[in-house]
Amino acid sequence: MKNSSCVVIFLSLVMVVAMSSLPAEAQNRFRPAIQANDNIITEYQITQRTRFLALLRAPGDPRALAREQLINETIQFEAARLSGDMPGEDQIAAGLEEFAARANLTAEEFITALGQEGVDAQTFRDFVTAGIAWRAHVQARFRSEARNIPQEVIDRNLARTGTEGGLRVLISEILLPKTGADTTRASRARAAEIATMRSEEEFSTAARLYSVAASRSRAGQLNWVAIETLPENIQAPIRALSPGQISQPIELDNVIGIFLLRDVERVAVGRPETLSIDYALLRVAAGPSEADRIASRIDTCDDLYGIAKDLPEDMLIRESRPLTALPADIRAQIDFLDVNEATTALVRGSQSTVLMLCGRQQAFESTVDFELVGTRLLNTRLTSIAADYLADLRADTFVADLAN
């Protein structure tokens, strides 16, 4: 890091000498303002980004936001470049067109409109490219890790409500970082401003500008999702919304979330009672120690048949029932078990037991979209991983204000 700093200082001195012969306007254009490791952010870049954000009516202080964005994007660009995850020209062009389409313009028309307000095309291009590069880098680096979601996790997620049936919502999200005291304070202030917005267009713009979620490129928009598959602490706030309304800020583990409800629908089939639970319950007369020993020896429900072969027939129960038809004490334990996982926490009368979950399946036709549920869990994981990753990169980055 010491050698890198020396290089930056040397380059800065070279720039100062070179600039001394330039007109004042050109000097301002290239004047170093911020150093992030070996990278220099110029005053011109900050001024241009500030003007761009002001045109997009970004809430808060556009200049402060411009500085924060440019520091993060410099770090993100560096990570993407080092890993070979930079987007190609076709991807960038598509991103520019997609962003401009939000204003019902082509990319060329949007760039012309920006130019009339004093914002050059490179500022727009850099903004879009940064988002594309970061998403590609995060997916390439962490997707295999994040997508390793066991079917049991999806099953458990569905078990509390059965299927995607019931209430489905179409939402947009903005996730703001909580990577330190100053960032958290700024994110809370920004979240409060976003929560007062009155239109989906404003919310979409804010999502593109501020959100650290993977959905940023889609203006925060998510596909249809069963509300019960969302994290429990955001279900109630979303249920309380009507289409077009925006939630109050919600404090999550590493981010602050604000959500816009775009639409809602009810699905008639796929209710909890359609989820069938296959379980086995062995009563153990010898007490809790013997129950624990048996639980540690079995791998599947079929193993219990060998253990119970010389016992009275009523000592082992193996059956499949709808979730809502299970005895209350069994259902309370089943909710926390994965398939082929056993517990000895249940007591029947004075006898210890071994309760094992053999399987979960749909008893009747259902509208559940397991791919959608899995994708949502994947995106949630990637969002959390990306926020933590950026926070780690930023903590390891030397950042200096060169303007003072």
Side-chain angles (χ1 to χ4, degrees):
M1 182 65 73
K2 182 177 180 181
N3 291 337
S4 296
S5 299
C6 291
V7 171
V8 172
I9 292 172
F10 172 75
L11 291 175
S12 298
L13 290 173
V14 171
M15 289 177 67
V16 169
V17 173
M19 287 166 52
S20 62
S21 61
L22 296 174
E25 181 179 353
Q27 291 184 31
N28 288 334
R29 180 185 180 98
F30 296 109
R31 187 174 72 233
I34 301 171
Q35 174 188 340
N37 282 347
D38 294 347
N39 303 289
I40 294 295
I41 300 169
T42 67
E43 180 61 34
Y44 182 74
Q45 287 175 285
I46 295 174
T47 300
Q48 280 283 299
R49 180 61 67 89
T50 300
R51 200 171 291 168
F52 178 62
L53 295 176
L55 289 174
L56 296 179
R57 298 181 181 178
D61 181 353
R63 184 174 176 83
L65 175 60
R67 291 172 61 89
E68 186 74 8
Q69 279 189 357
L70 288 169
I71 292 171
N72 284 342
E73 288 173 14
T74 298
I75 295 169
Q76 292 167 341
F77 267 130
E78 185 174 9
R81 274 195 296 265
L82 290 174
S83 299
D85 297 321
M86 291 297 290
E89 285 300 318
D90 289 346
Q91 293 172 285
I92 296 173
L96 296 174
E97 291 290 351
E98 198 274 337
F99 189 97
R102 296 285 171 177
N104 295 317
L105 299 173
T106 65
E108 184 177 351
E109 291 169 339
F110 193 78
I111 289 170
T112 299
L114 289 176
Q116 292 171 349
E117 299 296 334
V119 177
D120 63 35
Q122 191 63 43
T123 296
F124 175 41
R125 179 186 174 89
D126 288 346
F127 175 78
V128 171
T129 305
I132 298 173
W134 179 242
R135 286 187 298 279
H137 176 60
V138 168
Q139 292 218 2
R141 186 179 177 94
F142 297 111
R143 188 174 182 84
S144 59
E145 171 188 337
R147 75 184 307 164
N148 187 26
I149 304 172
Q151 185 63 39
E152 290 83 357
V153 174
I154 297 177
D155 289 343
R156 181 183 291 179
N157 193 281
L158 291 168
R160 292 175 174 82
T161 53
T163 73
E164 197 190 355
L167 190 68
R168 294 203 315 166
V169 291
L170 196 60
I171 61 175
S172 296
E173 65 180 357
I174 294 176
L175 302 183
L176 304 177
K178 292 166 57 178
T179 54
D182 291 342
T183 301
T184 299
R185 187 161 43 249
S187 290
R188 285 173 177 159
R190 186 163 295 129
E193 293 178 354
I194 293 171
T196 65
M197 292 178 174
R198 291 292 180 266
S199 73
E200 183 175 340
E201 182 179 358
E202 285 184 289
F203 191 92
S204 297
T205 298
R208 289 184 173 280
L209 295 176
Y210 310 127
S211 184
V212 296
S215 59
R216 168 181 170 174
S217 65
R218 303 184 301 276
Q221 293 184 355
L222 303 176
N223 292 325
W224 282 104
V225 61
I227 195 167
E228 296 87 355
T229 65
L230 296 173
E232 292 184 2
N233 50 349
I234 71 173
Q235 289 182 29
I238 290 177
R239 286 181 187 275
L241 299 176
S242 297
Q245 289 186 328
I246 298 171
S247 74
Q248 291 300 307
I250 302 170
E251 298 276 344
L252 304 173
D253 289 342
N254 302 308
V255 293
I256 300 171
I258 314 99
F259 301 89
L260 164 70
L261 179 63
R262 304 192 331 261
D263 202 355
V264 61
E265 72 174 12
R266 290 192 175 276
V267 180
V269 296
R271 302 183 64 79
E273 56 265 28
T274 70
L275 188 71
S276 178
I277 301 298
D278 180 11
Y279 74 95
L281 179 68
L282 176 70
R283 288 190 289 149
V284 182
S289 296
E290 178 64 11
D292 288 339
R293 188 185 71 80
I294 292 172
S296 67
R297 288 174 52 198
I298 58 176
D299 296 316
T300 70
C301 289
D302 291 343
D303 294 338
L304 289 171
Y305 289 117
I307 294 172
K309 65 181 180 179
D310 296 325
L311 299 176
E313 187 175 333
D314 63 352
M315 294 295 283
L316 175 63
I317 299 173
R318 172 73 185 272
E319 63 180 1
S320 293
R321 287 196 190 185
L323 179 66
T324 54
L326 291 176
D329 57 348
I330 292 179
R331 179 173 180 175
Q333 297 298 325
I334 287 292
D335 279 347
F336 297 98
L337 294 180
D338 291 327
V339 174
N340 293 324
E341 185 178 6
T343 178
T344 59
L346 185 64
V347 176
R348 281 292 175 89
S350 60
Q351 290 184 325
S352 299
T353 70
V354 176
L355 173 66
M356 175 171 269
L357 174 62
C358 310
R360 292 186 178 99
Q361 61 183 355
Q362 302 307 316
F364 310 111
E365 183 179 357
S366 169
T367 60
V368 66
D369 185 341
F370 286 95
E371 183 177 355
L372 175 62
V373 176
T375 298
R376 178 56 186 154
L377 292 173
L378 169 64
N379 288 339
T380 299
R381 283 191 176 189
L382 275 176
T383 296
S384 178
I385 290 171
D388 288 342
Y389 179 45
L390 179 58
D392 289 342
L393 290 176
R394 177 120 185 201
D396 292 336
T397 299
F398 174 76
V399 179
D401 189 342
L402 305 178
N404 296 327

